[in-house]
Amino acid sequence: MTKKTYEVKGMMEWHPVFRAGRTRVQVSFTGGCLCGGASTAASYETSDPVVQALIECSPAFRIGRISVRGEVRKGSATPASGATVMEFPDLDKASDFLQREKGVRIDDILTKEKCIAEARRLGIALRIKDTPAR
């Protein structure tokens, strides 16, 4: 089972309706913040593969309005026994997750190696697909 977190940048809330044939599914991206010169993207988390497919086949996902913030795979083989596997598309998303969700200081996760080591200390097996140069 895979749990994915999707985000919509520049929005505090968004409630799109996704269609598949006659079926309509409304999801709620919430938790965004636009204040003080900084912004937090609105997000939606699901482990339902049907909803994931609807989101990922939508025009909003294809043009980049919706992006995947993170992915957790449960029941997969992990490097550390009992660790949760989390997969991120790049270092920025991984470090953003560790800062917001785990309270890690940015100074502790500036490089890919430091980010993976800090996640391992927290019991998370971190996988970063593409790492842009910092």
Side-chain angles (χ1 to χ4, degrees), residues 92-104:
D92 291 336
K93 303 259 177 160
S95 61
D96 184 50
F97 168 79
L98 290 173
Q99 284 178 324
R100 292 172 199 240
E101 303 297 325
K102 301 297 180 182
V104 177

Side-chain angles (χ1 to χ4, degrees), residues 58-93:
S58 73
F61 187 84
R62 279 186 256 138
I63 65 170
R65 184 169 189 184
I66 300 172
S67 60
V68 177
R69 178 190 294 168
E71 192 173 312
V72 178
R73 292 189 180 155
K74 299 204 181 223
S76 62
T78 60
S81 92
T84 301
V85 177
M86 297 202 70
E87 194 169 304
F88 293 92
D90 56 40
L91 178 60
D92 291 336
K93 303 259 177 160

Side-chain angles (χ1 to χ4, degrees), residues 5-16 26-34 39-46 55 66 69 100-101:
T5 303
Y6 298 93
E7 69 180 5
V8 179
K9 293 185 178 174
M11 303 283 276
M12 293 189 302
E13 284 190 14
W14 187 41
H15 306 280
Q26 181 176 10
V27 299
S28 296
F29 289 85
T30 59
C33 178
L34 302 171
S39 67
T40 302
S43 63
Y44 174 74
E45 184 175 272
T46 183
I55 292 172
I66 300 172
R69 178 190 294 168
R100 292 172 199 240
E101 303 297 325

Side-chain angles (χ1 to χ4, degrees), residues 89-124:
D90 56 40
L91 178 60
D92 291 336
K93 303 259 177 160
S95 61
D96 184 50
F97 168 79
L98 290 173
Q99 284 178 324
R100 292 172 199 240
E101 303 297 325
K102 301 297 180 182
V104 177
R105 294 177 343 139
I106 186 67
D107 297 340
D108 297 336
I109 52 174
L110 288 176
T111 65
K112 180 180 179 180
E113 293 77 22
K114 286 183 176 182
C115 195
I116 290 171
E118 187 65 24
R120 188 176 300 126
R121 185 184 70 76
L122 295 169
I124 300 169

